[in-house]
Amino acid sequence: MLEAMAALLLIGALSAVAIPGMVRWLAYWELRAAAERLTADLRECQSRAEAEGVFYELRFWRTRPDYMVYRGVEHVRTVDNKSGIAYATGILPLPDTHLRFNPRGTGIQGGTIWLCNRFGDRMGARIYPDSGVVIFLGP
């Protein structure tokens, strides 16, 4: 009986150390996946704008973790980020931000969109306005 209690105590101590690390690790990879998806969506909008000869745009809101993709004025899809992923405070220049690509595939305005998780990790994407180059901003 004493050995079983010692084994349970050891398992409990190991769990107390391992579980917080696993939670943080999971939150990090969810953030990375969201930032990579954002970068991929920006690059896709850029290439489609150029290939189809129409405006493409991603719309962001400070108060919502999702964003919407538009082809001209037509709503294409909404991308929902997992709970715990939010836009970093103070990085969006306006209450509502739209990153838009013109039919030549260049960005109309540049900008950086940062995503963060509940542990303060930040990753995101940046568009350079003159060239339309989109880069992933990771650790």
Side-chain angles (χ1 to χ4, degrees), residues 27 36 43 56 67 111 117-118 128 130:
E36 287 176 350
R43 289 178 179 155
Y56 266 82
Y67 58 90
N117 64 18
R118 63 182 177 259
Y128 291 96
D130 298 334

Side-chain angles (χ1 to χ4, degrees), residues 22-36:
M22 291 292 288
V23 169
R24 183 169 177 100
W25 178 81
L26 182 61
Y28 170 85
W29 285 105
E30 287 174 347
L31 174 64
R32 184 170 183 101
E36 287 176 350

Side-chain angles (χ1 to χ4, degrees), residues 123-135:
M123 294 183 206
R126 177 176 295 148
I127 298 176
Y128 291 96
D130 298 334
S131 62
V133 171
V134 177
I135 62 168

Side-chain angles (χ1 to χ4, degrees), residues 45-66:
C45 286
Q46 177 189 30
S47 65
R48 285 182 177 260
E50 187 174 11
E52 298 172 14
V54 297
F55 287 94
Y56 266 82
E57 140 181 88
L58 274 75
R59 297 182 184 175
F60 304 88
W61 292 266
R62 282 185 191 272
T63 57
R64 295 171 41 184
D66 61 352

Side-chain angles (χ1 to χ4, degrees), residues 12-133:
L14 290 174
S15 296
V17 171
I19 290 174
M22 291 292 288
V23 169
R24 183 169 177 100
W25 178 81
L26 182 61
Y28 170 85
W29 285 105
E30 287 174 347
L31 174 64
R32 184 170 183 101
E36 287 176 350
R37 183 177 51 245
L38 171 63
T39 304
D41 284 341
L42 287 166
R43 289 178 179 155
E44 179 186 8
C45 286
Q46 177 189 30
S47 65
R48 285 182 177 260
E50 187 174 11
E52 298 172 14
V54 297
F55 287 94
Y56 266 82
E57 140 181 88
L58 274 75
R59 297 182 184 175
F60 304 88
W61 292 266
R62 282 185 191 272
T63 57
R64 295 171 41 184
D66 61 352
Y67 58 90
M68 296 180 182
V69 178
Y70 282 83
R71 179 184 186 273
V73 295
E74 172 192 354
H75 177 256
V76 177
R77 72 180 183 278
T78 299
V79 179
D80 292 321
N81 287 318
K82 291 196 177 259
S83 71
I85 304 287
Y87 298 111
T89 310
I91 47 82
L92 298 173
L94 303 170
D96 299 330
T97 297
H98 309 282
L99 294 177
R100 195 170 201 201
F101 293 97
N102 64 32
R104 292 186 318 267
T106 57
I108 292 180
Q109 79 279 0
T112 302
I113 300 294
W114 287 106
L115 300 173
C116 64
N117 64 18
R118 63 182 177 259
F119 297 105
D121 300 323
R122 288 177 26 153
M123 294 183 206
R126 177 176 295 148
I127 298 176
Y128 291 96
D130 298 334
S131 62
V133 171

